[in-house]
Amino acid sequence: MLDTSGLVFLQLGAMAALALYVAANLGANDVANSMGTSVGSKALTLRQAIIVAGILEFSGAVLFGQGVSETLATGVVNAEVFAAKPQVFLIGMVSVLIACGIWLQIATSRGLPVSSSHAVVGAIAGFSCVAAGINAVDWRTIGTISLTWVATPVASGALAALFYSVVKYSILDRPDPLSQMREWIPWLSAAMLSVFGIIVLPSVVNVAFVQTGAIAAAHDRFGWNLPIHDIVIGIGAIAAIALTLNSWKKLESVEKEEERRKKEEGRGDKGFGPSTNSSPTPKLPHSPIEQQMARFQVLSACFVAFSHGSNDVGNAVAPLAAIAYIRRTGSFPSEDFSVPLWILVLGGAGIVIGLTIWGKNVIATVGEKIIELQPSGGFCAELATATTVLLASRFGLPVSTSHALVGAVVGVGLIKAWKTVRLQTLLSIGSAWLVTIPIAAGLAAIIFSIAQSIGQF
């Protein structure tokens, strides 16, 4: 049981408030990773994006955020060094929370999409070097994580370029793109739902059906033996069919509207005058084919929001999970360490609070200032980002969602028209990425030194 004496309870409450503050700043900065392209392409309004992101970020954090949180809490440091002095590690994790919160808030105020993964890993390394020397850091793990930071934008950019090439040459550049869209809708639906279904849905089904006892109850009552993978395939297939049928229905209405518009224009060209219809067709921001792609982009944005919550929640709650473990056991987190559900819920709530209050600045940078996005390009960028980040979450790797999305947007831009990529914006973003690690490490080292000298923990 957790020691609930007054002082310990207040201290843990203060640490939880710190983690909530970090999660809020993370949500404010990283909401652009899931919704920036949708807002930039006008597929969603800012308010709609915040509502959708809030729901799915929270769901991803609670249902799928365990693995990355455990990696960050115990995998970055050398356990043997801190095993004999867990209280020092506790002070260090408090320093990590404060340092990351400060830097993320500064970056968000300037509209820069920095990597919260960089900030957390840098801060942990910074305090560890001050606390117990350079050997206190597990440099092999740091090396693995650093390789993912380099590989993430490259992989995501390559996937986005591939996806956009297929969409561009198979649909957008054809003489009759709406007809081509009709043929490609089942494939687009299957591709998008496969990414989500293969990587995420097994964990969701496990929570919804196995842990709740639903499968066991079905077996006891009806004799049904339902393997998880069969349920996953069934749900994915039903969702893909439903999305295809709904998209065909929407496309049919778009085609009828196009035919009506052409007939009205034809009557005007032949001298019959303007249409007598008193309700003119409103002017839409995109062509009919882009309107159709916008619906797919909204769904892909939902997947990115879920994947971001699943991966980046660990950046906010991993230090708190380690602190709670030390408070409960008095020892350094061991092999049986796991992140409690209430901490994942706290992290998810903080992300939602932050993106609601401060999220619009970074959305503008990612969605509008790198390239001008259409829904087709935004869809490809988000699908590539979701694929990259969800795969990383499956293996417990704390990749940068910012890196993934920026790389994907650039990948789309290179295929669409490489001269339209705004290099000045990329230089600003790249500079922020580079300085994040040393700044976070320096802040954590300074805060740790001050806290240790005060000796109030």
Side-chain angles (χ1 to χ4, degrees), residues 303 361 442 445:
F303 294 162
N361 290 340

Side-chain angles (χ1 to χ4, degrees), residues 1-4 8 12 87 90 320-334 336-340 342-343:
M1 292 293 291
L2 181 68
D3 184 1
T4 57
V8 172
L12 187 58
Q87 292 302 317
L90 186 151
L320 177 62
I323 291 169
Y325 185 93
I326 294 172
R327 285 296 189 195
R328 178 169 60 87
T329 66
S331 61
F332 182 83
S334 58
D336 65 343
F337 170 76
S338 62
V339 180
W342 71 267
I343 291 182

Side-chain angles (χ1 to χ4, degrees), residues 4 13 85 117 154 209 265 281 294 311 324 341 351 357 372-373 375 377-378 405:
T4 57
K85 39 186 178 182
S117 302
V154 175
F209 293 95
E265 290 177 352
T281 303
N311 195 281
L341 180 61
I351 289 175
I357 298 174
E372 291 185 8
L373 281 171
L405 188 68

Side-chain angles (χ1 to χ4, degrees), residues 252-265:
E252 185 177 352
S253 65
V254 170
E255 289 174 331
K256 289 180 179 179
E257 181 64 28
E258 276 292 287
E259 290 178 5
R260 187 182 70 81
R261 183 183 61 80
K262 289 178 180 179
K263 288 180 180 179
E264 289 181 354
E265 290 177 352

Side-chain angles (χ1 to χ4, degrees), residues 74-85 135-138 332-334:
T74 60
V76 177
V77 299
N78 190 335
E80 295 178 358
V81 174
F82 288 102
K85 39 186 178 182
N135 291 328
V137 180
D138 187 341
F332 182 83
S334 58

Side-chain angles (χ1 to χ4, degrees), residues 366-448:
V366 173
E368 301 172 2
K369 296 181 181 178
I370 298 176
I371 62 169
E372 291 185 8
L373 281 171
Q374 297 290 323
S376 55
F379 163 70
C380 294
E382 288 170 350
L383 184 60
T385 300
T387 304
T388 305
V389 176
L390 286 171
L391 281 172
S393 293
R394 169 63 65 186
F395 293 105
L397 295 173
V399 300
S400 169
T401 317
S402 302
H403 284 197
L405 188 68
V406 171
V409 171
V410 172
V412 170
L414 293 177
I415 298 300
K416 184 178 180 181
W418 66 270
K419 291 183 179 180
T420 63
V421 178
R422 298 186 179 104
L423 295 179
Q424 187 60 45
T425 301
L426 290 179
L427 288 174
S428 298
I429 294 173
S431 299
W433 287 352
L434 289 175
V435 302
T436 292
I437 293 178
I439 287 178
L443 282 172
I446 293 170
I447 294 168
F448 174 80

